[in-house]
Amino acid sequence: MQAIARPLARAAPKHVRYAGSLSIWSAVPAGPPDSILGVTEAFKADKDPRKINLGVGAYRDENGKPYVLNAVKKAEEILVQQNPDKEYLPITGLPEFTKEAAKLAYGADSAPLKNNAIAVTQSISGTGALRIGGAFLGRFYPHSKTIYLPTPSWGNHTPVFRDSGLEVKNYRYFDKKTVGLDFEGLKEDLKNMPEQSIVLLHACAHNPTGVDPTPEQWKEISDIVKEKKLFPFFDMAYQGFASGSTTRDAFAVRHFVSEGHQVALAQSFAKNMGLYGERVGLFSLVTADPEERARVESQLKIVIRPMYSNPPLHGARIAATILSNQDLYGLWESEVKHMAGRIIDMRHRLHDNLVSLNTPGDWKHITRQIGMFSFTGLTTPQTKALAEKAHIYMTADGRISMAGLNTSNIDYFSESVSKAVKGEL
């Protein structure tokens, strides 16, 4: 009996064939939106000419434009004349940069620096330094795998350290009632931490509050840290940018080291040199002696190698050129002082305006705070009203970037804040 031939099924086009099947990534949930990115997107979509963006964490000049330092431009001119190659850097980075960056942080007269007892590695800006430090501590710090962060802290601190394998806990820092430092709460929490815990300290220009301990308070903190045998991990992203003095802004780090603490330190050159996109940073650890330093650096290389192999070249060359050239260093210091001074001027102008407008509340915290950011004390409904009715954008917690204010918009901003606080906006 002859078989009945069946027509062959036609192959469906690929886009049809897989239309009904699930993608490998179909179960991946959408991540929460970045709060700063949301502010920037809302600002960009706003067509009002009065609009102000106070969310971005980057310096802006008097005209609200990005600022490339003259010291950076001159350093690049020198580098062009040298016609350098584009070869890979060593795993721990450009030696000329790491040497000068460590000297900037610890001071030329630092005993561990003179004794060649500071382990250093170039990093992908401050974030990379924190990530290297977290991974190293997670692997080698023998006493604890818990790091304590101030409340609040930079938003990226928690994911950086959690991804490094550390447990993250918090200690009191900011007092919402005074819009200042909760020093008694801070001390109490330090004293109640388990001995030999890791504690993260903002060296200067605390982000996001702008609230720093005084030198005398830092000395008390150092004493408690020593008494409890805590391990201090400093994040110094704003050296020079806070007060205008690189020496003054390094006080906490240098005092702790002089008191015998074996600190860890993350440095960034994004803010103080305006090298945001160049990703220039340093991670360092104070060790006992040159032999221990060599062993620690060998393990830092092993941590870094599978992360990114070696760091970027160009920005490190710029920073090293500035830090090692006396004329450029002087120019850079004057520019850092100018940037810090402009922000300090805006703080005083904002305070004076709010007072003269009879704005309810005490606004002295605006001038007491330091650095790029200020916790204004504005409520979430007030920040929402400012965005919707005055075209002024900031994070919902009332944090503003002082660098976004200038002589062209400070009066409008002050008047709008005053109306928002009075409920008249």
Side-chain angles (χ1 to χ4, degrees):
M1 185 174 173
Q2 187 177 1
I4 299 173
R6 294 182 179 179
L8 294 172
R10 293 177 62 188
K14 286 184 178 180
H15 71 278
V16 175
R17 200 185 318 167
Y18 296 107
S21 62
L22 288 175
S23 165
I24 295 169
W25 315 118
S26 60
V28 176
D34 183 277
S35 60
I36 305 297
L37 184 61
V39 171
T40 301
E41 288 176 347
F43 170 79
K44 287 180 178 178
D46 194 326
K47 304 302 180 185
D48 193 285
R50 299 169 297 174
K51 66 180 182 178
I52 305 173
N53 184 6
L54 301 177
V56 64
Y59 182 77
R60 295 293 180 259
D61 67 12
E62 180 57 32
N63 300 309
K65 302 296 182 184
Y67 177 59
V68 180
L69 277 67
N70 290 316
V72 169
K73 293 177 181 178
K74 290 181 181 296
E76 288 188 312
E77 289 172 4
I78 291 171
L79 291 172
V80 168
Q81 293 171 3
Q82 292 175 350
N83 191 29
D85 58 44
K86 298 293 183 183
E87 293 295 300
Y88 288 124
L89 281 175
I91 295 174
T92 52
L94 186 70
E96 298 91 333
F97 165 71
T98 57
K99 173 187 173 184
E100 294 297 333
K103 185 167 72 173
L104 178 70
Y106 293 93
D109 58 349
S110 166
L113 193 68
K114 287 182 175 180
N115 295 335
N116 197 23
I118 298 179
V120 296
T121 180
Q122 187 182 328
S123 62
I124 301 177
S125 204
T127 306
L130 293 164
R131 186 68 174 79
I132 292 167
F136 182 85
L137 293 176
R139 193 173 297 185
F140 292 105
Y141 185 63
H143 305 297
S144 174
K145 303 303 175 190
T146 300
I147 186 167
Y148 287 82
L149 308 180
T151 302
S153 196
W154 180 46
N156 214 16
H157 277 147
T158 294
V160 162
F161 290 120
R162 279 185 180 159
D163 284 0
S164 301
L166 299 176
E167 181 183 7
V168 175
K169 293 185 178 181
N170 300 94
Y171 63 89
R172 282 174 284 176
Y173 189 88
F174 182 69
D175 187 339
K176 290 184 178 180
K177 293 180 181 178
T178 64
V179 201
L181 182 67
D182 181 3
F183 190 51
E184 295 306 314
L186 183 157
K187 290 191 294 182
E188 184 179 350
D189 285 355
L190 288 178
K191 290 176 182 177
N192 289 334
M193 288 178 192
E195 284 195 353
Q196 299 180 312
S197 297
I198 306 165
V199 58
L200 190 282
L201 301 165
H202 295 235
C204 61
H206 180 275
N207 180 3
T209 68
V211 174
D212 284 357
T214 65
E216 291 306 312
Q217 288 172 330
W218 273 122
K219 290 176 182 179
E220 284 192 61
I221 293 169
S222 172
D223 291 342
I224 296 170
V225 168
K226 181 178 288 188
E227 179 187 338
K228 292 290 295 185
K229 301 177 184 176
L230 304 176
F231 182 81
F233 189 156
F234 280 98
D235 184 359
M236 187 159 65
Y238 297 92
Q239 187 182 3
F241 196 91
S243 68
S245 165
T246 56
T247 300
R248 190 181 310 163
D249 291 347
F251 172 82
V253 172
R254 295 180 185 181
H255 176 73
F256 269 63
V257 173
S258 71
E259 289 293 299
H261 294 279
Q262 284 190 289
V263 307
L265 173 64
Q267 287 172 260
S268 169
F269 289 83
K271 307 296 192 299
N272 60 11
M273 284 192 181
L275 298 174
Y276 303 98
E278 300 289 357
R279 313 308 290 144
V280 187
L282 191 84
F283 175 72
S284 57
L285 284 161
V286 174
T287 67
D289 51 50
E291 187 274 333
E292 185 173 277
R293 175 199 57 76
R295 285 189 284 109
V296 168
E297 285 188 353
S298 74
Q299 291 295 343
L300 286 172
K301 291 176 184 177
I302 292 171
V303 168
I304 293 166
R305 177 64 170 147
M307 277 190 189
Y308 55 85
S309 286
N310 40 52
L313 175 59
H314 186 63
R317 279 179 171 156
I318 293 171
T321 303
I322 291 171
L323 294 174
S324 62
N325 181 302
Q326 187 174 352
D327 291 338
L328 287 185
Y329 188 90
L331 175 60
W332 170 64
E333 279 201 315
S334 68
E335 289 188 279
V336 172
K337 187 174 183 179
H338 169 76
M339 290 191 293
R342 196 186 78 74
I343 288 176
I344 292 169
D345 288 345
M346 286 299 104
R347 287 186 179 278
H348 286 282
R349 180 85 173 265
L350 175 59
H351 168 268
D352 293 349
N353 281 358
L354 292 174
V355 171
S356 67
L357 290 165
N358 296 314
T359 311
D362 182 352
W363 298 95
K364 291 178 182 176
H365 61 274
I366 298 291
T367 53
R368 285 198 299 261
Q369 295 169 1
I370 195 169
M372 180 173 288
F373 299 109
S374 173
F375 250 32
T376 58
L378 294 170
T379 65
T380 298
Q382 289 167 348
T383 63
K384 185 178 180 182
L386 284 165
E388 293 176 351
K389 299 179 180 179
H391 314 277
I392 295 170
Y393 298 89
M394 66 187 75
T395 53
D397 57 9
R399 187 204 79 165
I400 63 172
S401 172
M402 294 300 304
L405 295 175
N406 55 57
T407 53
S408 299
N409 62 24
I410 185 68
D411 291 338
Y412 175 68
F413 175 72
S414 305
E415 291 163 6
S416 299
V417 167
S418 186
K419 289 178 182 177
V421 173
K422 294 172 182 175
E424 299 173 354
L425 198 59

